[in-house]
Amino acid sequence: MLFRSNDPKQPIEPKLIDLAALRQNSVLFTALSDDDAWELIHLARLESAPAKHAVCLVGQAGDSLHIVLEGRVKVSLLSEEGKEAILSILGAGEVFGEMSLFDGEPRSATVTTMERCRFLVLSRKVFLPFLQSRMHVMLELIAEMSRRLRATNDLVGNLSFLNLSARLARILLNLVQQYGKVTPEGIIIGLKLSQEELGHLVGVSRESVNRQVRVWMDAGWIAFEHGTIIVLNSDALFREALAS
Ligand code: CMP
């Protein structure tokens, strides 16, 4: 169930948006002046969704771009048997849905909320005219799409050429880079991820991830507490990531 918290004809109240926070992690908003940012916000509608809600479904028509205001979503592909491959995890400030918006094709992946989320949603009808007079914003979006293609190339390359332990170590180090918080107990990855989801990120079954996780837990390299991963020995993981 999606909840629209405003009438699309009513402007979004500025107090509902933390523009400074959005700018910190958003290719779109860092490229915009304050005036342009508010103009864009006023062209959008606000939506919220509970955890585990599919916001976009692969193969379905779509002509809107979503900007994450709060929460995280996972971008994934599902096999006919229901197996999941996670392509990416996106958080506040990041955008999705731009592919169908630009090429008019059905959604290329399924996007599901990992926790309760709030979004700004822009339709093609309003977003394309907005972009037309702002070439620099267009370039930022193209750069972001290039970064995602590079990350996907890495993922495919890793799946094809690396063994499981090197792949898992790389994924964990990536998560450390994106979500890691250094604490006296170790580096806490600030993202609740089940071992099954970790498997879907690495491209293997939960059982295979479990086996590898157990080995590293016994060796004291990582710990798992209530779905949170704590990295205790990042040097060891780094060495593992380089071994293929
Ligand atoms: P769209 O195809 O409209 O809907 C699904 C969205 O998922 C897509 O736009 C992108 O925003 C996002 N997406 C698809 N593939 C990837 C990927 N490999 N990495 C990151 N995001 C992706």
Side-chain angles (χ1 to χ4, degrees):
M1 207 186 328
L2 270 182
F3 303 100
R4 281 192 192 170
S5 51
N6 76 309
D7 175 342
K9 293 187 198 83
Q10 290 291 315
I12 293 172
E13 279 192 54
K15 69 170 192 269
L16 293 173
I17 309 283
D18 184 347
L19 186 56
L22 257 186
R23 281 196 191 290
Q24 278 174 16
N25 201 21
S26 175
V27 289
L28 196 57
F29 282 97
T30 25
L32 290 172
S33 66
D34 272 8
D35 285 352
D36 279 357
W38 283 113
E39 185 179 333
L40 187 67
I41 289 167
H42 286 126
L43 290 172
R45 61 175 192 269
L46 264 180
E47 284 188 5
S48 51
K52 299 185 197 284
H53 176 84
V55 185
C56 295
L57 277 176
V58 64
Q60 284 198 346
D63 68 350
S64 55
L65 171 99
H66 286 63
I67 303 160
V68 183
L69 288 177
E70 266 172 44
R72 293 193 184 103
V73 298
K74 61 180 173 181
V75 179
S76 60
L77 293 173
L78 295 168
S79 73
E80 278 180 13
E81 306 83 58
K83 279 199 198 149
E84 184 185 47
I86 300 180
L87 300 170
S88 185
I89 294 175
L90 306 173
E94 295 185 282
V95 298
F96 61 89
E98 76 293 343
M99 291 172 68
S100 296
L101 184 135
F102 285 134
D103 69 9
E105 294 288 324
R107 296 293 189 198
S108 61
T110 293
V111 183
T112 316
T113 55
M114 299 178 78
E115 51 213 19
R116 190 183 155 72
C117 288
R118 280 202 317 142
F119 306 107
L120 278 177
V121 184
L122 287 155
S123 68
R124 175 190 285 128
K125 208 169 76 199
V126 298
F127 190 53
L128 292 187
F130 178 87
L131 276 186
Q132 251 152 22
S133 55
R134 292 164 181 94
M135 181 66 164
H136 63 294
V137 182
M138 187 96 87
L139 288 174
E140 288 298 335
L141 280 175
I142 293 171
E144 175 61 18
M145 290 173 82
S146 304
R147 278 191 287 274
R148 288 186 186 179
L149 189 54
R150 281 177 199 282
T152 305
N153 286 0
D154 277 351
L155 194 73
V156 174
N158 289 348
L159 279 177
S160 317
F161 308 130
L162 294 180
N163 62 32
L164 164 65
S165 58
R167 253 149 61 196
L168 184 57
R170 283 180 187 213
I171 296 276
L172 286 177
L173 290 171
N174 270 339
L175 293 175
V176 161
Q177 218 175 22
Q178 286 184 64
Y179 304 108
K181 214 171 91 194
V182 180
T183 72
E185 286 78 44
I187 307 172
I188 296 180
I189 297 178
L191 184 71
K192 281 224 183 291
L193 211 57
S194 66
Q195 292 198 16
E196 192 165 17
E197 284 177 316
L198 198 52
H200 296 161
L201 264 175
V202 186
V204 295
S205 67
R206 179 172 59 83
E207 291 73 20
S208 308
V209 163
N210 275 356
R211 266 196 298 279
Q212 190 59 57
V213 162
R214 201 103 319 275
V215 171
W216 290 347
M217 282 170 75
D218 290 346
W221 294 6
I222 60 172
F224 241 94
E225 273 173 30
H226 313 294
T228 300
I229 307 165
I230 306 172
V231 173
L232 306 169
N233 188 342
S234 53
D235 287 350
L237 282 183
F238 196 68
R239 280 194 298 276
E240 197 71 26
L242 292 179
S244 55

